[in-house]
Amino acid sequence: MKAPGSYQELAELLRSRLPKLASGQLRIAHLLLADPEGTAYRGITEAARLLEVRESSVTRFANSLGLPGYPDIMELCRAWLAEQAQVARRAEHAGEAEPGGLLSATLEQEQTNLARTFGHLERASWLRAVELVARAPRVHVMGLRECRPVADLAAQRLGEILPAVHRLGGGSLPDELKELCEDELLVVFSVRRYAADTVRVANYAKETGLPVVALTDNAASPLVESAEVALFAETSGVSHRRSLTALTALTQALITEVAIELGDPKPDHRLLDTLHFYY
C-alpha cells in the first residue's frame, strides 16, 4: 500500500479504517486524529504509556499504515504543524507589510478548509444524515460555546422547513432532556475543545433511542461514539483560534439538501410580515 505523504492523507486513511480497528489500535488512531500537535513531539515511550499499549504495538500500527515506524508519524505531524505556523506567520507579516495581507491568508485557509470538508464527505453518511433530518417527526438541536451560533442558525433554518424543531441548551438541561422522545432526532455541534454538556446530551439521546447526527471536526471526536451519522468539518485557522466557516457551510448545505428532499418548501413569513418584523 502507498504510505501517507502528509498528515491530511494520514488522517483520511485513519478515518477510513476506524470501523475495523481493534480496541488498542482504535485508541492509537483516536489520539493521532485528536492531537496531532502533541503527537508531533510525543515520543513512542510516552505515547505507549498514555495509550496503555506496548511500544511494539505502536510500531506495528505505524507499519500497518505503510510507514517504517512511529517516528514517521511524528514527522508527518511536525510537517503539518509547520504548515499551520507558516500560514500564521505569513498572515502576521503580510498584515504588517500591507493592508489585506491577513485577509489573503484567511481566504487561503478558508478555501482549504472548505475544499477538504466537502472533498472528504462520505456520500453514504451525507445521504443518511439528510434522510434522518427530513423524516424525523421532531428535531432537537444542541451546540454550546463557540458552536452556539452555528446551532442557532441550524435551528432557525430547520424551523422554517420542518414541523417541529426544539433548541436545546437555553435552560436547565435535566428539564429540557425530558422532552426527548424515542424516534425523534438530535443534531449536535461541537469541535475541540468539546463542550461536556453536548457530549452528555448525545450519550443520553443514544441511550434513550434517539438517532444522533453529529457535525464535528474529526473522527476522534467524543460525539462520534453516540452518533448514527457524523459529518466532519475542517477547523484550522490562521491563528490559535479555530475557524467555523466550513462547519457553517456544511450545516447550510445539509439544511438545503433537506429542504430539497422535502420539496423545497418556502418559509412561512406571514406572522413576521404582520408584525412588520422586517424593515
Side-chain angles (χ1 to χ4, degrees):
M1 63 170 291
K2 180 182 177 182
S6 66
Y7 176 74
Q8 288 79 11
E9 292 181 3
L10 173 65
E12 186 173 355
L13 179 60
L14 291 173
R15 283 194 287 261
S16 68
R17 291 191 175 188
L18 284 179
K20 302 176 183 178
L21 295 179
S23 59
Q25 295 175 321
L26 191 61
R27 290 201 300 275
I28 299 173
H30 277 174
L31 181 64
L32 299 183
L33 287 168
D35 189 21
E37 296 94 340
T39 301
Y41 298 101
R42 184 185 297 117
I44 189 170
T45 300
E46 185 182 355
R49 179 188 58 78
L50 182 64
L51 293 163
E52 299 181 343
V53 298
R54 298 176 183 272
E55 291 184 25
S56 58
S57 298
V58 179
T59 299
R60 284 195 298 273
F61 185 79
N63 296 157
S64 73
L65 301 172
L67 297 168
Y70 179 75
D72 298 274
I73 293 178
M74 295 176 65
E75 188 58 37
L76 292 179
C77 292
R78 287 177 183 175
W80 177 78
L81 281 181
E83 290 176 7
Q84 304 306 307
Q86 184 178 18
V87 171
R89 285 195 299 271
R90 188 161 62 246
E92 292 173 2
H93 297 326
E96 294 170 1
E98 58 179 328
L102 176 60
L103 296 180
S104 297
T106 301
L107 175 61
E108 179 182 341
Q109 183 62 65
E110 298 298 4
Q111 288 175 328
T112 299
N113 286 349
L114 288 166
R116 289 176 179 167
T117 296
F118 288 95
H120 294 162
L121 270 180
E122 296 181 356
R123 180 169 176 77
S125 296
W126 176 256
L127 293 178
R128 180 57 177 156
V130 171
E131 179 186 18
L132 286 170
V133 176
R135 305 302 174 214
R138 191 184 191 200
V139 176
H140 304 269
V141 180
M142 177 77 170
L144 299 174
R145 294 188 64 79
E146 68 264 60
C147 286
R148 183 181 293 275
V150 186
D152 287 341
L153 174 66
Q156 178 187 334
R157 295 284 177 85
L158 287 172
E160 294 176 346
I161 60 174
L162 296 177
V165 176
H166 175 218
R167 179 69 169 93
L168 284 164
S172 170
L173 274 179
D175 293 331
E176 290 185 317
L177 292 180
K178 294 177 182 178
E179 297 194 38
L180 272 62
C181 299
E182 187 177 355
D183 296 329
E184 295 177 344
L185 178 72
L186 174 67
V187 179
V188 289
F189 300 84
S190 194
V191 299
R192 285 186 293 166
R193 299 172 61 192
Y194 308 98
D197 278 346
T198 303
V199 177
R200 294 188 188 102
V201 169
N203 290 336
Y204 177 81
K206 181 181 179 181
E207 294 171 359
T208 306
L210 274 79
V212 177
V213 173
L215 285 87
T216 185
D217 52 359
N218 67 75
S221 165
L223 294 176
V224 172
E225 185 176 349
S226 301
E228 179 170 335
V229 179
L231 304 175
F232 306 116
E234 292 284 343
T235 60
S236 298
V238 296
S239 71
H240 64 279
R241 298 185 182 278
R242 300 194 177 278
S243 167
L244 298 181
T245 299
L247 181 67
T248 303
L250 184 63
T251 301
Q252 293 187 123
L254 176 63
I255 295 168
T256 300
E257 187 93 45
V258 169
I260 293 172
E261 179 72 14
L262 295 173
D264 202 9
K266 293 183 178 180
D268 187 352
H269 288 162
R270 285 175 297 180
L271 177 58
L272 295 176
D273 292 338
T274 300
L275 297 175
H276 302 289
F277 183 83
Y278 294 111
Y279 184 78

